[in-house]
Amino acid sequence: LKLVQLNAAKAACLKIPKTLVTNDPERARRWVADGDTIYKVFTGTDFGFFETRPLTQLDQDELWRLAYCPVILQERIDGDFDIRATVVGNQVFAAKVLYKKGRHPIDGRVERVPVAPVELSEATESAILTLCRGLGLTYAAVDLRRRDEEDVFFEINPEGQYLWIEIETELPIS
């Protein structure tokens, strides 16, 4: 439900990346020409893990395939670190995920990278709680990226993992 999430996050006053969902190859080509782009699968599957990937020239040569299957294209957000904000009721436990310490250029979930507690601004924490309330969630794992003192929303996982964050950071989530 990525589109629902993005709209709800924007309504909650979180910054979101410029996004295009399309199955039109020409529209995708025009989008890609405007800047550095990442892509995500449109729906999840019962098998496998599909990380967020940079759109390469090889991928651009395959955009004709979009006529048969939509894709989510987003502006690539570079930043200092990722944030995993775990929401339990009205509490938000935030950890920075140092994705740049890994080998994957974008997605810190691909391999183990250092994590540590991090402070969120009052505005970001309030927006996250508003987002969760708006979606009817009392628990969620929210992924963001910190860029120039600004937090950019990526997604919210209503059953996202938290134990690894708790173990690595000693945040008292449980």
Side-chain angles (χ1 to χ4, degrees), residues 33-97:
D34 285 343
D36 203 3
T37 302
I38 57 96
Y39 69 99
K40 302 175 180 182
V41 295
F42 187 71
T43 60
T45 63
D46 293 338
F47 60 91
F49 167 77
F50 300 97
E51 77 277 4
T52 301
R53 300 175 184 185
L55 194 76
T56 66
Q57 183 58 52
L58 183 61
D59 297 323
Q60 291 180 46
D61 294 341
E62 299 293 322
L63 288 176
W64 64 270
R65 296 178 187 270
L66 293 183
Y68 307 103
C69 182
V71 70
I72 299 173
L73 300 172
Q74 288 184 321
E75 69 176 306
R76 180 175 177 170
I77 303 294
D78 284 321
D80 303 318
F81 51 85
D82 286 347
I83 297 171
R84 169 56 70 98
T86 305
V87 178
V88 181
N90 290 317
Q91 292 185 287
V92 180
F93 302 91
K96 62 180 169 182
V97 179

Side-chain angles (χ1 to χ4, degrees), residues 49-52 84 97 107-112 143 155:
F49 167 77
F50 300 97
E51 77 277 4
T52 301
R84 169 56 70 98
V97 179
D107 198 330
R109 300 172 301 164
V110 174
E111 63 185 324
R112 188 174 175 157
D143 294 328
E155 67 181 1

Side-chain angles (χ1 to χ4, degrees), residues 102-128:
R103 293 173 298 207
H104 195 281
I106 296 172
D107 198 330
R109 300 172 301 164
V110 174
E111 63 185 324
R112 188 174 175 157
V113 295
V115 297
V118 68
E119 291 291 322
L120 296 176
S121 70
E122 189 175 307
T124 295
E125 186 168 323
S126 175
I128 287 170

